[in-house]
């Protein structure tokens, strides 16, 4: 699920960047620091929409560096249990397969793959296949999230394709 949220971030600039282009350096540093950042509370930061405010910098004693508090709005991506999303398969093995939906990695276990799909390790690349479908690296699949674990810097998910309207998208 995607959200629009106002956030803040502290940026430290070396003294060599202090000058007439300082605002440009702070903006560039913000984009570099927060792009694809995962916060356990909000999820992945997909994009910075707007910089709302750059507060006056504070000089750090002994270093000469300046510290700026930047307030910005961003688009966030956070998965929820029972959410259905499209993903691209990145790895296939006998335990199941991994797929990516943007920055999110989803693992689908063998128990959560339909019984008619069999693993064939002799194919190149290895794949799960049935009479109608074939799942290999690069295949687009529709997955339902069955479990989400959120850490401070990462989100781990487990998915299934064992329900109606899930599986390979053609």
């Amino acid at each position: 699920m995607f959200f629009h949220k106002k956030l803040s971030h502290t940026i430290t600039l070396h003294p060599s960047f202090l000058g007439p282009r300082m605002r440009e350096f702070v903006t560039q540093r913000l984009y570099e620091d927060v792009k694809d950042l995962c916060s356990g509370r909000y999820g992945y930061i997909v994009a910075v929409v707007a910089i709302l405010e750059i507060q006056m910098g504070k000089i750090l004693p002994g270093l000469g560096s300046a510290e700026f508090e930047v307030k910005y709005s961003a688009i966030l991506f956070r998965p929820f249990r029972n959410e259905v999303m499209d993903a691209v398969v990145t790895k296939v093995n006998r335990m199941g397969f991994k797929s990516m939906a943007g920055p999110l990695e989803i693992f689908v276990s063998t128990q959560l793959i339909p019984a008619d799909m069999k693993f064939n390790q002799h194919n190149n690349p290895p794949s799960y296949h049935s009479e109608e479908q074939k799942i290999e690296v690069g295949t687009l699949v529709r997955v339902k999230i069955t479990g989400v674990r959120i850490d401070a810097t990462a989100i781990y998910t487990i998915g299934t394709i064992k329900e109606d309207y899930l599986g390979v998208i053609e």
Side-chain angles (χ1 to χ4, degrees):
M1 185 76 60
F2 291 94
F3 299 98
H4 189 241
K5 181 105 176 115
K6 294 178 183 172
L7 301 169
S8 66
H9 184 71
T10 303
I11 294 176
T12 304
L13 279 185
H14 188 268
S16 64
F17 294 108
L18 304 177
R21 295 178 50 208
M22 181 173 55
R23 187 173 197 79
E24 182 183 322
F25 289 128
V26 170
T27 304
Q28 179 183 353
R29 187 74 176 272
L30 174 73
Y31 287 118
E32 291 171 1
D33 286 356
V34 302
K35 187 175 187 315
D36 296 332
L37 180 73
C38 180
S39 125
R41 186 172 181 188
Y42 301 117
Y44 291 99
I45 297 175
V46 177
V48 175
V49 176
I51 295 176
L52 305 173
E53 179 184 3
I54 300 175
Q55 295 181 352
M56 290 291 277
K58 296 176 186 168
I59 303 296
L60 300 176
L63 297 174
S65 298
E67 195 172 73
F68 299 89
E69 185 73 24
V70 181
K71 294 184 180 179
Y72 63 98
S73 64
I75 295 176
L76 307 171
F77 171 64
R78 184 165 188 240
F80 290 100
R81 196 164 178 253
N82 296 323
E83 183 176 357
V84 176
M85 58 182 59
D86 297 345
V88 177
V89 175
T90 57
K91 186 176 182 182
V92 178
N93 60 32
R94 72 171 41 108
M95 300 298 292
F97 66 86
K98 288 185 179 183
S99 59
M100 297 291 289
L104 180 69
E105 186 175 71
I106 305 165
F107 176 70
V108 179
S109 171
T110 306
Q111 289 81 17
L112 299 172
I113 296 173
D116 67 330
M117 295 193 86
K118 303 295 181 201
F119 179 69
N120 187 348
Q121 66 184 7
H122 300 295
N123 276 2
N124 191 12
S127 64
Y128 283 92
H129 63 87
S130 66
E131 293 179 11
E132 304 166 354
Q133 298 181 1
K134 184 175 183 180
I135 297 176
E136 60 187 7
V137 174
T139 304
L140 189 62
V141 291
R142 183 159 289 142
V143 180
K144 180 179 180 183
I145 304 295
T146 57
V148 178
R149 190 181 92 207
I150 299 174
D151 286 347
T153 58
I155 298 176
Y156 303 99
T157 56
I158 296 173
T160 182
I161 60 169
K162 207 172 186 174
E163 296 179 13
D164 292 340
Y165 307 107
L166 300 178
V168 177
I169 301 172
E170 295 178 6

